[in-house]
Amino acid sequence: MQNKGLIKLFAILFGLVSIYQLSFTFFANKVEDSAKQYAKANVSDNNGRALARYERKYLDSVANKEVVNLGFAKYSYNDIKNKEMNLGLDLKGGINAILQVSVKDILTGLSNDSQNTTFKQALANADEAQKNSQENYLDLFYSEFEKLSNGSVKLSDPSIFGTKALRDKIDFNKTNEQVKSTLQEEINTSINTAFEVLRSRIDKFGVVQPNIQRIGNSGRIQVELPGAKDIDRVEKLLQSTAELQFWEVHTNADVQNFFFAANAKVAEMLKDDSATEQVKDTAKADNNIDDLLGESADSTKVETQKNLFSYLYPNVAQSQQQISSLVAQARVQDTAKVNSFLHNKEVRALLPNNLKYTKFLWDYKSQAGADGTKLIGLYAIKSNRKDQAPIEGDVIADAKQEYDQVSKPIVSMMMNAVGTKKWSKLTGENIGKFVAIVLDDYVYTAPVINQQLGSSSSISGGSMTVNEAQDIATILKAGKLPAPARIIQAQVVGPSLGKESIDASMWSFGLAIILVLVWMFLYYGRAGIYANIALVVNILFIFGILASFNSVLTLPGIAGIILTIGMSVDANVIIFERIKEALYGGKNLGESVDEGFSIKGALSAIIDANITTLLTGIILYTFGTGPIKGFALTLMIGIATSLFTAVFITRLFIDGAVERGTKLPFNTGFSKNWFRNISVEFLQKRKIAYIISGFFIAVGLVSIFTVGLKQGVDFKGGRSYVVRFDEAMKGNEVAEQLKDVFGTAPEVKTYGSDHQLKITTAFKIDEEGTDVDETVQNALYNGLKPYLGDTSYDNFKPGFEKAGNGIMSYMKVEPTIADDIKQSALWAVLGSLIVVFLYILLRFRKMAYSIGAVVAVFHDVLVVLGVFSLLYKFMPFDMEIGQSFIAAILTVVGYSLNDTVVIFDRIREFTEGKNSVTASLVNKALNSTLGRTINTSLTTLLVMLAIFFFGGDSIKGFMFALIVGVVVGTYSSLFVATPIMFDVSKKEENK
């Protein structure tokens, strides 16, 4: 081998760089461990929120201090944090969300809230059509408008988009097609604005290495915040439209007469026969006592008639000193009922003319009442016919979090010239009165105005926290979203589950590597040690590259590394087996090594196998999303490093041994005569193999079409919660308990230990709104309350470390995006198969080879799907078909193709220069590669079995798919791909 010195230098430098890059991960973990110890020392009750606060306090204190001194360079915690290897949500915890910017709201805004019936009906029809369509919203709206209008009205009509605001872009003469083009530009501008606003908010949130990106032109924005623990805070930050408004308000004295009238009206509305209950006498003795006391039986009646004041507690002003902007209070759980009463037409008809346009808004935050009940304040806003505030948030020039005179957090705002003028006028007209500052229809403060104000003002609240003040300032400064953005897909993993996943995964991964190293030594002796060194260097290179380029390591990414390890071992096995063949043929060690590493020897098969897998990886990275992308990235990195280490690093050690005259038999006493002189007539058994394969595929297909497959939430839509309990739970009992709150029983299954359940429901999944997720989560909490002991709702919610009961992870996927995920996964699989088919066709120059390889791949996929359909109801772990399963299937495809291409390469070698493919030559090729086939499969299975048995609960279904796939893939390479290739070749020759 030439240029040995250059290869050594490159390997050493690359290894040192990898160690250097990975050292930052080690140092960062060390600092974070110290932060955890500090937090635990200061928190006695293991409260997750308090632990997170103290951890953050410790890390903030060392953020810019020197924590690492390497002699030639010094680093603060912030420095090493930015250089550490990123872990995905499934390993670290955090939130991954896809937000949909509402194109419907953008169109409504551009039309100035048009009331044109055709326009409104077209929007409604587009909403309905989008549920089962992959088209973008504007195309659906345009199609529906064309059908409804039928030429009678144009989009450029003054009642629709021919408004004053758009007069420079849309005039009445423009066609619908031209208006549509203008609308698309406006929508793109709005989505770009939303993207920039969200990015600005996220950059200020404080999460290390956040990721935000647009998804095509769909109006969707993907946000990933690894390590985020305060999930509520994140969701509010992402979905808040920052609709800041300044309103005059009515006092409690202004509206109290209305409340009394409304109370009587609500009582009348609720009155029925069941409203009054009588406590009936149940014993004659009681009647005698009543007679003696002279009391009638009527005195035992208990009046339980409900009215408005059963739910709303008015703040009555009995003197001038009691006048307030707070008009009433209610329990948090009663706010929806109060809203329904106050919005009722009969109740609103009681409002006098001066209160006609009053709208009632709640405080942004609840307070604890005297009995511990959470109460929330109600305000009466002086609205108008157009519901337009005197001043809106677009006048804010700057905003920041500060402290008032008594050190309470406030949000200080600076207004532009227009805002200053309006604010001065509003405050000047309301001296001695109240003005409310409203953000997203929640009242943050409604102070009395003591004097006329100028360009600056502030938002303050009695119990506003520093974080809340910082978030409000961030939202106001970053700007207002041009349209509401709601989370249509979310994956939340709590830090506790993330830590458990990485501990289990790394431990089992280490065990798997040790098993492979031991096996290679037992099988190949000293040569196996050289291969092991190359394998360890390969793993170092992979993790070093991931750390250097700030790539994200996920569980599917670990699967990509597993496949890479298999391919790395496979390359050495192919080389070693070719060297052994040459040695058995009478050549000396040097000649045998040269032949083994040559193109005519093992290198051709290794390159073909790696290229087919690389092409699969490229297609998956291009078309895949989420876990599929993570899998593809590590796979592509691994292919490059494994090819280098297996071919060049191993060769350096072997050439060194040859030069020293070291004896290298490439076997041990344990494996000396394995797979020698084997003569199995594979092709003669192909009909039996076809029958066996046909039987398993048929059974699997019958099961798929009758029983079906258990689709994951990311493929069918819904919400899925992993909930941990302090005691062992029964899934069927919990499902029945939750039936009351969800309407129908959710799917409940043990997840890992019997103290943990996975609860999947489609409850309210079709409903839109930023508060729907909270409603569903609240319902889950109420349904599980009998099993949660004294766990509060705040501690039950996902995020923060859990000391006991609570949601460990959570996934939500709306049906519209579930279809898109499924479709992109399907295209990724089909695309990779087409590319591989074409490559094999070009490489082997015969259609038979491509057909054999692709049929074998379809065979493997169908068998794995069949197994999952047959067993998902009986296995004690999740066997869902989702994105992670697709990554597993693609791993199987890559492995099966790798195996098949190696066999095909040997067949091509044996048949080169011959006119036909004979059964004897094909059998000879299969027998000569059998040692490599079995050996590679065995080492790969060792890795997978170790991870399956000792890895985390979340990866068991994934690993089971890989195990089944490797076994089936090994079988299909021998008994499906090659026989199909042979039969097709014979038909071509006969023609």
Side-chain angles (χ1 to χ4, degrees):
M1 184 176 67
Q2 298 177 339
N3 301 318
K4 288 182 183 179
L6 188 62
I7 291 170
K8 283 181 183 177
L9 179 63
F10 177 79
I12 291 169
L13 290 176
F14 201 175
L16 290 173
V17 169
S18 296
I19 292 170
Y20 171 75
Q21 291 292 343
L22 288 170
S23 68
F24 293 112
T25 303
F26 170 77
F27 291 130
N29 288 339
K30 197 172 178 183
V31 174
E32 285 162 9
D33 285 342
S34 299
K36 285 183 173 65
Q37 290 172 9
Y38 170 78
K40 287 178 180 176
N42 285 278
V43 179
S44 58
D45 60 352
N46 281 327
N47 180 278
R49 188 178 294 271
L51 286 169
R53 186 169 65 251
Y54 276 101
E55 277 183 45
R56 187 75 261 157
K57 183 179 178 182
Y58 180 92
L59 295 175
D60 285 343
S61 69
V62 298
N64 297 306
K65 288 184 179 178
E66 177 189 319
V67 292
V68 176
N69 188 343
L70 298 177
F72 58 87
K74 299 175 181 178
Y75 298 98
S76 67
Y77 172 70
N78 280 349
D79 294 330
I80 60 176
K81 192 66 181 172
N82 289 326
K83 292 176 180 290
E84 74 167 345
M85 185 171 65
N86 295 330
L87 299 178
L89 302 185
D90 44 7
L91 296 175
K92 187 176 184 178
I95 178 170
N96 183 336
I98 293 179
L99 292 100
Q100 176 74 63
V101 177
S102 174
V103 176
K104 176 185 178 180
D105 287 324
I106 294 174
L107 291 175
T108 302
L110 290 172
S111 73
N112 198 21
D113 197 16
S114 170
Q115 298 302 306
N116 183 286
T117 53
T118 304
F119 171 74
K120 294 188 78 172
Q121 188 60 49
L123 288 176
N125 291 356
D127 285 344
E128 197 61 34
Q130 193 178 41
K131 294 177 181 177
N132 301 304
S133 175
Q134 304 300 319
E135 290 187 60
N136 67 57
Y137 190 88
L138 180 61
D139 288 336
L140 293 171
F141 163 76
Y142 182 74
S143 175
E144 293 297 332
F145 184 85
E146 289 277 274
K147 282 190 287 187
L148 289 168
S149 66
N150 197 23
S152 62
V153 63
K154 295 198 298 183
L155 289 171
S156 58
D157 188 278
S159 68
I160 307 178
F161 295 115
T163 61
K164 288 182 180 180
L166 293 172
R167 62 176 175 265
D168 295 335
K169 299 175 182 177
I170 297 174
D171 59 58
F172 188 73
N173 296 319
K174 285 206 170 185
T175 64
N176 283 351
E177 194 64 45
Q178 289 172 321
V179 174
K180 181 189 173 187
S181 177
T182 303
L183 293 176
Q184 185 64 68
E185 291 174 10
E186 292 294 315
I187 289 168
N188 289 341
T189 301
S190 296
I191 292 169
N192 284 334
T193 302
F195 177 78
E196 293 303 326
V197 169
L198 286 172
R199 184 165 65 179
S200 180
R201 292 181 188 180
I202 289 164
D203 287 343
K204 295 178 179 68
F205 185 70
V207 173
V208 178
Q209 296 167 334
N211 177 38
I212 176 170
Q213 56 187 344
R214 282 188 61 177
I215 302 176
N217 293 316
S218 62
R220 290 172 182 167
I221 299 170
Q222 183 170 22
V223 176
E224 188 171 30
L225 300 175
K229 295 178 182 178
D230 196 339
I231 304 304
D232 276 352
R233 186 182 169 199
V234 172
E235 290 179 343
K236 286 175 184 174
L237 194 71
L238 293 179
Q239 296 183 108
S240 173
T241 56
E243 192 75 50
L244 181 69
Q245 298 172 325
F246 298 79
W247 292 96
E248 296 173 82
V249 297
H250 294 293
T251 66
N252 53 341
D254 295 335
V255 299
Q256 61 190 26
N257 288 336
F258 160 71
F259 279 150
F260 289 123
N263 184 56
K265 173 59 70 173
V266 171
E268 184 183 323
M269 290 161 54
L270 295 178
K271 190 174 184 180
D272 58 32
D273 293 338
S274 62
T276 303
E277 297 177 0
Q278 279 193 333
V279 178
K280 296 182 178 179
D281 299 329
T282 56
K284 190 177 179 180
D286 291 340
N287 290 330
N288 294 335
I289 293 171
D290 289 339
D291 292 337
L292 287 170
L293 294 174
E295 295 178 349
S296 68
D298 289 341
S299 66
T300 61
K301 287 184 179 178
V302 179
E303 183 67 37
T304 59
Q305 172 65 51
K306 299 291 186 182
N307 52 38
L308 176 61
F309 293 166
S310 301
Y311 308 100
L312 183 71
Y313 316 128
N315 182 20
V316 178
Q318 296 178 338
S319 66
Q320 188 67 28
Q321 289 72 29
Q322 292 179 337
I323 292 177
S324 168
S325 57
L326 182 72
V327 299
Q329 287 182 301
R331 292 182 301 175
V332 172
Q333 61 265 39
D334 291 336
T335 53
K337 192 176 287 291
V338 172
N339 285 340
S340 69
F341 292 144
L342 295 180
H343 285 94
N344 183 276
K345 288 183 180 179
E346 293 182 48
V347 173
R348 286 199 66 84
L350 300 173
L351 286 164
N353 283 335
N354 65 319
L355 300 176
K356 185 177 180 181
Y357 296 111
T358 301
K359 65 176 181 179
F360 295 96
L361 298 181
W362 296 102
D363 201 335
Y364 83 103
K365 191 176 182 182
S366 61
Q367 307 289 339
D371 59 352
T373 306
K374 286 195 172 182
L375 297 175
I376 191 164
L378 184 69
Y379 297 84
I381 304 298
K382 286 185 182 180
S383 188
N384 47 57
R385 184 187 294 274
K386 291 185 177 180
D387 193 28
Q388 188 170 344
I391 306 176
E392 296 194 339
D394 52 3
V395 301
I396 302 299
D398 193 16
K400 56 185 175 181
Q401 182 265 315
E402 293 182 339
Y403 294 93
D404 62 14
Q405 296 89 337
V406 291
S407 299
K408 286 190 175 181
I410 62 170
V411 179
S412 175
M413 299 179 295
M414 186 68 67
M415 298 186 182
N416 59 24
V418 175
T420 300
K421 187 176 179 181
K422 289 182 177 179
W423 185 233
S424 179
K425 182 176 183 292
L426 182 66
T427 54
E429 293 173 350
N430 285 277
I431 293 174
K433 299 178 183 178
F434 299 91
V435 171
I437 300 177
V438 179
L439 183 65
D440 291 336
D441 280 340
Y442 286 97
V443 178
Y444 275 74
T445 184
V448 65
I449 302 298
N450 294 316
Q451 61 183 15
Q452 188 171 11
L453 300 173
S455 61
S456 63
S457 60
S458 63
I459 300 175
S460 61
S463 59
M464 183 185 290
T465 66
V466 173
N467 278 345
E468 286 168 344
Q470 287 173 344
D471 287 348
I472 295 166
T474 294
I475 289 168
L476 295 177
K477 191 174 180 180
K480 167 185 168 182
L481 286 177
R486 78 176 196 281
I487 295 174
I488 59 172
Q489 180 188 346
Q491 181 184 7
V492 174
V493 179
S496 301
L497 195 61
K499 185 178 184 303
E500 290 169 12
S501 293
I502 192 168
D503 288 346
S505 297
M506 297 312 292
W507 191 86
S508 59
F509 189 73
L511 175 63
I513 298 302
I514 290 170
L515 290 174
V516 171
L517 298 180
V518 170
W519 173 256
M520 289 295 286
F521 172 71
L522 288 175
Y523 196 88
Y524 289 110
R526 185 187 291 270
I529 295 175
Y530 299 153
N532 287 342
I533 294 171
L535 178 60
V536 172
V537 171
N538 181 30
I539 294 169
L540 174 65
F541 284 177
I542 292 172
F543 284 105
I545 291 171
L546 287 171
S548 300
F549 291 97
N550 286 326
S551 302
V552 179
L553 181 65
T554 61
L555 287 177
I558 290 176
I561 296 174
I562 291 168
L563 181 58
T564 297
I565 290 170
M567 293 182 67
S568 181
V569 170
D570 181 46
N572 282 136
V573 169
I574 294 171
I575 293 167
F576 291 174
E577 291 300 317
R578 291 304 293 259
I579 292 172
K580 281 163 68 175
E581 284 182 27
L583 288 172
Y584 294 151
K587 294 181 180 179
N588 63 39
L589 182 59
E591 292 171 335
S592 299
V593 169
D594 287 338
E595 182 176 318
F597 282 95
S598 69
I599 286 288
K600 289 186 177 181
L603 204 54
S604 174
I606 292 170
I607 290 171
D608 283 337
N610 277 274
I611 288 177
T612 53
T613 312
L614 179 64
L615 289 171
T616 303
I618 292 170
I619 294 294
L620 298 181
Y621 191 80
T622 304
F623 293 103
T625 58
I628 296 176
K629 223 177 184 73
F631 164 78
L633 179 65
T634 52
L635 181 62
M636 290 187 291
I637 292 171
I639 287 166
T641 57
S642 64
L643 193 61
F644 174 78
T645 54
V647 174
F648 294 107
I649 301 294
T650 309
R651 180 77 187 267
L652 284 174
F653 285 106
I654 290 177
D655 280 356
V658 171
E659 289 168 6
R660 292 192 302 271
T662 305
K663 188 178 179 182
L664 277 178
F666 290 88
N667 56 36
T668 61
F670 169 72
S671 63
K672 189 171 184 179
N673 295 312
W674 285 28
F675 304 109
R676 287 198 66 184
N677 303 318
I678 292 177
S679 182
V680 179
E681 294 183 337
F682 287 97
L683 289 184
Q684 281 70 17
K685 297 176 174 58
R686 68 184 185 278
K687 289 183 180 178
I688 298 172
Y690 290 163
I691 293 170
I692 293 171
S693 293
F695 172 76
F696 279 107
I697 289 173
V699 171
L701 287 173
V702 169
S703 179
I704 289 169
F705 287 114
T706 55
V707 179
L709 293 159
K710 184 186 178 185
Q711 291 190 62
V713 166
D714 46 354
F715 271 15
K716 68 180 180 182
R719 292 178 177 85
S720 181
Y721 303 86
V722 173
V723 185
R724 185 170 293 173
F725 300 88
D726 288 335
E727 55 188 28
M729 304 296 295
K730 294 179 180 178
N732 56 349
E733 181 184 315
V734 172
E736 196 61 33
Q737 179 74 22
L738 290 172
K739 188 176 181 180
D740 294 335
V741 293
F742 289 152
T744 57
E747 181 185 305
V748 181
K749 190 169 183 178
T750 301
Y751 190 79
S753 74
D754 55 8
H755 285 244
Q756 202 162 257
L757 297 176
K758 186 170 188 179
I759 301 166
T760 304
T761 177
F763 179 59
K764 289 184 178 289
I765 195 60
D766 291 319
E767 292 188 21
E768 296 181 5
T770 56
D771 57 344
V772 176
D773 291 338
E774 184 74 13
T775 302
V776 176
Q777 201 165 261
N778 213 309
L780 177 68
Y781 172 73
N782 289 327
L784 294 176
K785 217 166 185 178
Y787 311 107
L788 298 177
D790 57 356
T791 302
S792 68
Y793 178 59
D794 281 341
N795 290 332
F796 174 76
K797 291 192 291 188
F800 300 113
E801 292 188 22
K802 304 289 182 189
N805 303 309
I807 298 174
M808 307 304 291
S809 69
Y810 155 63
M811 177 178 275
K812 165 206 168 179
V813 182
E814 291 192 0
T816 49
I817 195 171
D819 290 338
D820 295 349
I821 293 170
K822 197 186 302 184
Q823 190 178 63
S824 65
L826 181 63
W827 280 116
V829 175
L830 291 177
S832 62
L833 290 176
I834 290 167
V835 169
V836 167
F837 177 88
L838 293 174
Y839 175 77
I840 294 175
L841 181 62
L842 290 171
R843 188 72 178 87
F844 293 94
R845 304 296 177 90
K846 280 189 176 183
M847 184 72 75
Y849 287 98
S850 290
I851 292 173
V854 172
V855 167
V857 166
F858 272 109
H859 166 277
D860 299 345
V861 171
L862 288 174
V863 171
V864 174
L865 285 171
V867 168
F868 266 61
S869 176
L870 288 164
L871 300 181
Y872 80 82
K873 291 184 178 179
F874 310 106
M875 288 295 186
F877 51 84
D878 249 346
M879 295 181 70
E880 291 183 345
I881 307 299
Q883 290 188 86
S884 294
F885 176 80
I886 294 297
I889 284 291
L890 295 166
T891 309
V892 170
V893 168
Y895 183 87
S896 180
L897 283 170
N898 182 43
D899 209 5
T900 301
V901 166
V902 170
I903 294 171
F904 282 1
D905 203 79
R906 185 58 69 92
I907 293 171
R908 182 182 59 182
E909 180 187 334
F910 286 168
T911 57
E912 194 172 354
K914 294 180 172 58
N915 294 325
S916 65
V917 178
T918 63
S920 59
L921 287 177
V922 172
N923 281 331
K924 181 183 176 184
L926 287 167
N927 283 300
S928 65
T929 57
L930 189 61
R932 171 261 159 205
T933 301
I934 300 299
N935 212 340
T936 302
S937 298
L938 191 59
T939 51
T940 308
L941 276 173
L942 282 174
V943 175
M944 292 175 178
L945 287 168
I947 295 177
F948 176 76
F949 285 112
F950 302 105
D953 298 324
S954 60
I955 204 171
K956 285 198 185 298
F958 179 80
M959 295 309 303
F960 183 73
L962 292 182
I963 291 166
V964 174
V966 166
V967 173
V968 175
T970 304
Y971 161 83
S972 70
S973 298
L974 296 169
F975 294 102
V976 178
T978 308
I980 291 286
M981 181 279 299
F982 177 77
D983 287 339
V984 173
S985 294
K986 283 302 172 188
K987 285 183 179 180
E988 288 177 351
E989 289 171 14
N990 292 336
K991 286 182 182 179

